[in-house]
Amino acid sequence: MLTKIIFKRVFAIFGVVNNFLLIIFIIFKSPKQFGNYKCLMAYISIFEIFYSILDFLTVPTIYSHNSAFLVIIEKDSAIFPDSLLQVANISFCSLFGMSMAIFAIHFVYRLLVMIGPKYLYHYHLQKVLGLIGCTIIVGCGWTVVMHISFGPTKYSDSLISLEYLEPRNLTLSDVDYVGAHFHHTDSYGNQFINWNSMIALVMMTIAIMLSFTTVILCGLKIYKDAQENLSLRSSTDNNIQSQIFWALVLQTIIPVVLMHFPAGIGYLFSMLNRSTEILGEIPAITIFMYPALDPLPSFFIIRSYREAILELLGCKKSEMSVIPTEMSLQVIRTPAGKTPEENR
């Protein structure tokens, strides 16, 4: 258990460091063609820093068994006031949902940039802030769903007391949890469906499908437009647009592989009343890796950031402009044996 906590906190620290470094590069090393897109890039890094800090402070785990898929924070492991653990737990789950909206709006923005400046010409920054506001609204909506539908119940209390807490010599007062419990069992052994969890899962599934549909449709349109207008842009612009696009694609694949796919499998098997503990342990680890790994595509694909990394590591000397001095002018000679100044 201690090894897992250390592993998670180490990745949380890397998440803060990598995203803070990326923000520095976004501010000081971005090509001028990025424009206000830098705001969106910085926003996702700030989001991931906050996610990493919350991970570090709470170190949540995921318990999956039969029809339950629960996010649990043990008070002894958390560096957080006990009175705020419920808020922290719901926030952890809400940020998970909010991440899907974040990478969707990036594709929406890139599409608007590609199909024509008329969509972004007026009040450009306000439109960027509007897209950011959409992700915050999604996060708030996810929070409401978590609070109403995925809060503790007496049936979930009974389940985790017997299956999770007792083997660890813990009690309900030692933990805080939220999550889905799709099939409850009453005192007579009869099972019935928990419709609160079912309805909430349907709402989440719709949100997930909308996000993925937006990403796929916008991504295909962006790629098609880039190929059709390849000859209309300068090689520099085409190169930068390509760097942004592929960095964005990889930054979308990372959370899908590390967060949404493992958690989605866990939810599916829980809904079918067939889940096992391993289906909770996998996303409990990979979710911590997401903020630390997500900046890497930008570091390695965007050229100016890659060069900044090499300079930081001492593998590449920064380019310095050399100003000719009086002595250097004396050794610069034209074919006639005169200095440039003399040859005028």
Side-chain angles (χ1 to χ4, degrees), residues 89-131:
N89 210 347
I90 291 177
S91 297
F92 174 81
C93 299
S94 298
L95 291 178
F96 173 88
M98 192 174 168
S99 65
M100 292 182 297
I102 285 177
F103 62 70
I105 65 153
H106 276 245
F107 277 90
V108 170
Y109 178 86
R110 295 311 312 165
L111 179 61
L112 293 177
V113 170
M114 296 290 286
I115 63 178
K118 61 183 179 180
Y119 292 97
L120 294 172
Y121 185 76
H122 296 293
Y123 307 108
H124 190 178
L125 182 59
Q126 286 87 331
K127 290 183 173 65
V128 173
L129 295 176
L131 290 174

Side-chain angles (χ1 to χ4, degrees), residues 130-173:
L131 290 174
I132 291 174
C134 290
T135 67
I136 296 174
I137 292 172
V138 170
C140 292
W142 206 278
T143 299
V144 172
V145 171
M146 293 298 303
H147 180 69
I148 294 175
S149 301
F150 285 169
T153 66
K154 62 179 182 179
Y155 302 102
S156 300
D157 287 350
S158 176
L159 172 70
I160 68 168
S161 294
L162 181 63
E163 302 291 343
Y164 181 88
L165 299 176
E166 189 174 311
R168 294 167 175 81
N169 295 318
L170 299 172
T171 65
L172 281 172
S173 62

Side-chain angles (χ1 to χ4, degrees), residues 215-231:
V215 168
I216 293 171
L217 293 179
C218 289
L220 291 174
K221 178 62 178 176
I222 291 168
Y223 183 80
K224 181 180 178 181
D225 182 83
Q227 296 302 309
E228 291 176 351
N229 296 292
L230 198 63
S231 61

Side-chain angles (χ1 to χ4, degrees), residues 246-257:
W246 289 113
L248 185 55
V249 168
L250 288 178
Q251 282 185 304
T252 302
I253 291 175
I254 286 173
V256 169
V257 172

